[in-house]
Amino acid sequence: MEKLLSILEMNPRLSNEEIAIMLGISEQEVKSQIAELENSGIIKGYRAIIDKDKTDNQTVTALIEIQVHPKYDHGFEEIAEKISNFSEVESVYLMSGGYDLCCLVNNKTFQEVAMFVAKRLSTLEDVISTKTNFILKRYKEQDVILFDSLADDRGTISL
């Protein structure tokens, strides 16, 4: 099952027939195992990786560091769940280091991110502080290289 997960992680667009050949099992076994993984919640979904620098998309991605006051007997779970339920939030992580949680806000305008942090996130009772970092350029995402080449565009200087 781990090998199947690895294959799906690398290329979820492969057909069941192609995966069956790679694993040396029947197509029906692949279909059954994938259904089982989806039903058990191990596979949560399938997504395309899009190089937004090559589109007309004018939105930003923000990594927001959050310091919180965890609740007794709930730890970080309760506040993480609240943050996860915001429609603006794509991902939430428990972190080590200088902050407790980190959330990813994607495909929003700069103004939308600012208003989300100011009016929704920072006003939560257990949030102590936030720090918003904007992604300036993506070079690699989910193990996919997003640049075509490492061309040196600094020009030449002769003395």
Side-chain angles (χ1 to χ4, degrees), residues 6-12 47-50 138-147:
S6 178
I7 290 169
L8 289 171
E9 210 168 26
M10 291 300 294
N11 187 355
R47 299 188 75 179
I49 300 168
I50 299 167
R138 296 170 196 261
Y139 296 102
K140 185 175 185 179
E141 179 127 2
Q142 296 182 31
D143 209 27
V144 175
I145 302 290
L146 298 178
F147 52 87

Side-chain angles (χ1 to χ4, degrees), residues 1-9 19 22-24 33:
M1 199 151 310
E2 291 300 319
K3 187 156 177 147
L4 172 59
L5 287 171
S6 178
I7 290 169
L8 289 171
E9 210 168 26
I19 295 170
M22 294 169 77
L23 294 175
Q33 287 182 20

Side-chain angles (χ1 to χ4, degrees), residues 6 10 16 23 27 70 86 96 106 113 118 131 137 153-154:
S6 178
M10 291 300 294
N16 289 348
L23 294 175
E27 192 174 338
F86 285 128
S96 64
N106 198 9
V113 173
K131 178 181 168 187
K137 181 162 180 60
D153 60 356
R154 293 178 291 176

Side-chain angles (χ1 to χ4, degrees), residues 13-141:
R13 295 187 67 192
L14 291 172
S15 69
N16 289 348
E17 180 183 5
E18 292 169 316
I19 295 170
I21 291 168
M22 294 169 77
L23 294 175
I25 60 177
S26 74
E27 192 174 338
Q28 185 57 41
E29 286 177 282
V30 170
K31 184 177 179 180
S32 174
Q33 287 182 20
I34 290 174
E36 182 182 325
L37 291 164
E38 290 171 345
N39 292 335
S40 68
I42 293 172
I43 294 178
K44 299 289 188 183
Y46 304 89
R47 299 188 75 179
I49 300 168
I50 299 167
D51 187 348
K52 300 216 173 114
D53 290 342
K54 294 183 178 179
T55 69
D56 294 332
N57 189 335
Q58 297 296 312
T59 61
V60 297
T61 299
L63 287 169
I64 304 168
E65 301 171 1
I66 310 161
Q67 279 190 319
V68 300
H69 181 74
K71 295 264 187 191
Y72 181 74
D73 282 343
H74 292 97
F76 296 101
E77 302 301 315
E78 187 175 306
I79 187 68
E81 184 177 347
K82 284 181 188 176
I83 294 168
S84 296
N85 286 325
F86 285 128
S87 62
E88 296 88 347
V89 174
E90 182 177 298
S91 303
V92 177
Y93 306 101
L94 179 63
M95 305 296 291
S96 64
Y99 54 98
D100 304 308
L101 299 171
C102 177
C103 73
L104 181 75
V105 175
N106 198 9
N107 290 325
K108 302 293 177 201
T109 65
F110 179 82
Q111 186 68 21
E112 288 172 325
V113 173
M115 289 299 99
F116 166 70
V117 173
K119 295 188 177 204
R120 298 188 78 194
L121 184 61
S122 66
T123 60
L124 290 174
E125 180 181 341
D126 299 318
V127 172
I128 298 167
S129 69
T130 65
K131 178 181 168 187
T132 304
N133 304 282
F134 288 95
I135 304 294
L136 301 178
K137 181 162 180 60
R138 296 170 196 261
Y139 296 102
K140 185 175 185 179
E141 179 127 2

